[in-house]
Amino acid sequence: MKIKKLKLKNFHEFTDFECEFNDQITRLVGINGSGKTTIGLTAIWACLKGISERSKDGQLIGERFRFIGKGRPTSDIELTLIDETMGVEIVVKNHISKATNHMSFKAPDDYPVNQKWLNGLLNVAFISARHFASIDSKQQATLLGIDTSKYDADISNLKAEYTLLNRDYTNFGELVEPEKVEEVKVDKLALELQTLQDIDQKHYDKTEEDWLDSTETTTNLKNDIVQLKADLQEKERLLKTAEIDSEKQFKVLERLENPVDKIAKIQGELKTAGETNKKYNTWKTWDDDSKDKAKAKKLVDANQAKQKVKTKERLDYIKKFNFGFDNMSVGENGELLLNDRPIKEPYYSKGELEIVVAKLFMSKDPELRYRFIDDLQDLDDKNQTKIIDSLLKEGFQILTAEVGDKKVKDNTLLIKECGVVESYDQKKNLI
């Protein structure tokens, strides 16, 4: 779809204006303030969308009454569009007052003209590269349908959590392992000592005496066996019994252990318990801190893993959008970036911006393929040709604005004081 004709009545400084656009390129030439931008951008937007305060989606800015001329309390805009595919003309009229807009349409009965159709028809943010570049980078992404706010909020929360987790982990510092010793159970040893001290020493002495007696008996019996061979069998039996008894008594003695030795051993352990337990407590503190640090590190690693997952989800979401640029991205704050740079001057030249914004506009496959290029004279001839040729190749209708006071090329409208003239030596005329 393209624009065929524009009519303005009492719109801004335009009293009664009419002009037709070439279906490929129309050049508006005039000095600064002659009305070129109003024709190429403002009036078209006002007709299709209406005039409002600053909108949330980066659209044209302006107060309604600013565009109502001085001649009467209302303004009228009429735009004739051509649907080249269906061969149909559609006339859109917008009657603007300080209170409201009243829109009307004229089209074949079977042509689906309504406000929804108009809303999808034109986005002024893409019509002009200068206007698109002036919009906040985050708003640029929104205009392209990219909203990373959910991912950005999740990542921001994870980063805040990481700061706290990493602080806890860092606070442990470098943990140096001390000598590991076993804790001395002082209370247990003291109780055991007391128990041993209460053991009847006489019991130990009696057992020792019994063992000595058994040993002596064994010796005597052996002597008797030598002397009394006649009674050998009986003596041997007695000998065997005595040996068994002696062995039992010795085993009992071994199990009992001399309490004096045991007491001495415990007293030695208690004497060094203070120093040993100091070492043990040092090691235990290190062991506890090491375990806590390992847990903290695990939490930090888990947080970073979540950040990677969420960042990948965000990247996959962005990659779903195809704008014709492999290196298009969205920054941490949701801002649109190309080659990690904002789509603005001075990061890109005017010529580069014209091409980039045009390509973004084409990616949206707009119904109205219309482009307004302001200050075309700022581009050299090579870039002018490159931009215009690429837009025409994609089927765009182009309207350019150039500062000057002479017609220099075909399809030129010379604008003077919000009207069309053949030369600046003549008074303005209407077309």
Side-chain angles (χ1 to χ4, degrees):
M1 184 169 293
K2 294 181 179 178
I3 301 173
K4 179 181 179 181
K5 186 186 298 183
L6 172 68
K7 292 182 180 180
L8 302 174
K9 289 184 182 295
N10 199 43
F11 184 80
H12 201 30
E13 298 297 327
F14 290 80
T15 304
D16 194 355
F17 176 85
E18 179 180 339
C19 72
E20 291 191 7
F21 296 157
N22 184 275
D23 63 352
Q24 288 193 321
I25 181 168
T26 301
R27 302 174 186 274
L28 302 180
V29 177
I31 62 174
N32 289 329
S34 59
K36 303 185 296 296
T37 301
T38 301
I39 296 170
L41 181 63
T42 309
I44 294 171
W45 172 252
C47 181
L48 297 179
K49 300 291 184 179
I51 299 299
S52 64
E53 300 289 344
R54 179 189 294 270
S55 60
K56 294 182 179 180
D57 56 353
Q59 309 299 5
L60 193 64
I61 302 167
E63 295 172 342
R64 187 185 307 278
F65 62 82
R66 285 183 51 208
F67 295 94
I68 299 176
K70 299 177 181 179
R72 51 193 176 91
T74 61
S75 294
D76 289 283
I77 311 169
E78 180 178 311
L79 200 61
T80 302
L81 307 174
I82 298 180
D83 187 328
E84 297 173 306
T85 303
M86 299 182 66
V88 172
E89 282 194 6
I90 305 100
V91 177
V92 182
K93 295 181 179 180
N94 198 342
H95 180 71
I96 302 173
S97 68
K98 293 182 179 180
T100 187
N101 298 332
H102 176 71
M103 302 186 73
S104 60
F105 313 98
K106 182 180 179 182
D109 294 338
D110 58 347
Y111 198 84
V113 175
N114 50 42
Q115 188 62 51
K116 182 179 179 181
W117 171 79
L118 281 180
N119 290 340
L121 187 65
L122 180 67
N123 191 324
V124 75
F126 293 99
I127 287 180
S128 166
R130 173 174 291 178
H131 186 66
F132 185 83
S134 70
I135 297 170
D136 176 79
S137 295
K138 185 174 182 178
Q139 207 60 54
Q140 290 176 347
T142 302
L143 287 168
L144 290 168
I146 305 175
D147 183 7
T148 61
S149 58
K150 180 182 181 301
Y151 300 98
D152 296 338
D154 289 343
I155 293 172
S156 177
N157 291 335
L158 285 170
K159 286 185 175 180
E161 181 187 57
Y162 171 82
T163 300
L164 297 176
L165 293 174
N166 194 54
R167 182 188 63 189
D168 292 341
Y169 172 71
T170 305
N171 285 342
F172 283 103
E174 183 179 357
L175 299 178
V176 180
E177 183 177 5
E179 177 188 358
K180 182 179 180 180
V181 297
E182 294 298 329
E183 180 184 15
V184 177
K185 306 295 184 180
V186 175
D187 293 343
K188 182 179 179 181
L189 282 176
L191 180 61
E192 186 176 356
L193 175 62
Q194 184 63 44
T195 301
L196 287 171
Q197 288 175 336
D198 291 342
I199 292 176
D200 187 358
Q201 182 67 36
K202 290 181 179 180
H203 178 241
Y204 178 85
D205 294 340
K206 178 65 172 60
T207 304
E208 184 181 37
E209 182 180 346
D210 291 344
W211 174 73
L212 291 173
D213 289 346
S214 297
T215 302
E216 183 180 357
T217 299
T218 300
T219 302
N220 292 334
L221 287 172
K222 284 181 180 180
N223 292 333
D224 289 345
I225 290 173
V226 174
Q227 295 177 10
L228 302 171
K229 289 185 179 181
D231 202 18
L232 179 60
Q233 185 176 2
E234 179 64 19
K235 295 294 183 182
E236 285 181 347
R237 184 183 65 78
L238 293 174
L239 174 61
K240 187 175 181 180
T241 301
E243 287 178 340
I244 293 172
D245 186 56
S246 175
E247 185 177 352
K248 287 181 179 179
Q249 294 299 327
F250 181 75
K251 287 181 178 180
V252 171
L253 186 63
E254 279 187 324
R255 283 198 305 271
L256 288 176
E257 187 180 355
N258 192 333
V260 175
D261 294 338
K262 184 69 173 178
I263 290 171
K265 180 181 178 183
I266 294 175
Q267 287 175 333
E269 289 184 14
L270 288 173
K271 185 176 182 180
T272 60
E275 185 63 29
T276 301
N277 283 349
K278 183 178 180 181
K279 290 182 179 180
Y280 170 79
N281 290 332
T282 300
W283 177 87
K284 188 67 169 59
T285 300
W286 170 86
D287 187 57
D288 291 342
D289 287 348
S290 295
K291 291 176 181 176
D292 290 341
K293 183 177 181 181
K295 290 178 183 177
K297 184 64 167 63
K298 189 175 181 180
L299 291 174
V300 169
D301 292 343
N303 176 278
Q304 289 184 312
K306 288 179 183 178
Q307 286 192 51
K308 287 181 180 179
V309 170
K310 189 59 64 175
T311 300
K312 184 178 183 302
E313 289 178 0
R314 183 181 188 274
L315 183 60
D316 290 342
Y317 165 74
I318 295 170
K319 284 182 177 179
K320 291 193 302 184
F321 296 88
N322 181 17
F323 302 117
F325 297 98
D326 294 334
N327 43 4
M328 183 75 73
S329 62
V330 178
E332 290 185 359
N333 298 315
E335 68 275 19
L336 189 67
L337 302 172
L338 181 61
N339 295 318
D340 295 323
R341 292 179 289 165
I343 304 177
K344 298 175 177 294
E345 292 182 301
Y347 303 100
Y348 291 94
S349 67
K350 176 176 172 57
E352 290 172 328
L353 286 173
E354 291 290 350
I355 294 173
V356 169
V357 177
K359 200 168 183 179
L360 291 175
F361 192 24
M362 286 185 280
S363 72
K364 297 178 71 64
D365 193 24
E367 181 75 17
L368 181 61
R369 302 175 86 81
Y370 171 80
R371 291 283 296 156
F372 176 68
I373 304 176
D374 203 3
D375 293 328
L376 185 68
Q377 76 282 343
D378 291 347
L379 302 174
D380 57 36
D381 291 341
K382 183 178 179 180
N383 273 321
Q384 287 187 29
T385 301
K386 180 180 178 181
I387 292 170
I388 290 173
D389 287 348
S390 63
L391 289 173
L392 291 177
K393 184 178 179 180
E394 295 294 333
F396 276 84
Q397 180 184 25
I398 305 170
L399 196 69
T400 67
E402 305 172 54
V403 175
D405 57 6
K406 294 182 178 62
K407 288 184 177 182
V408 291
K409 295 181 181 179
D410 296 335
N411 302 322
T412 297
L413 296 179
L414 191 61
I415 308 299
K416 178 182 179 182
E417 298 174 357
C418 301
V420 178
V421 297
E422 289 300 319
S423 74
Y424 258 57
D425 295 330
Q426 300 175 359
K427 293 183 178 180
K428 66 180 180 180
N429 296 313
L430 302 178
I431 292 182

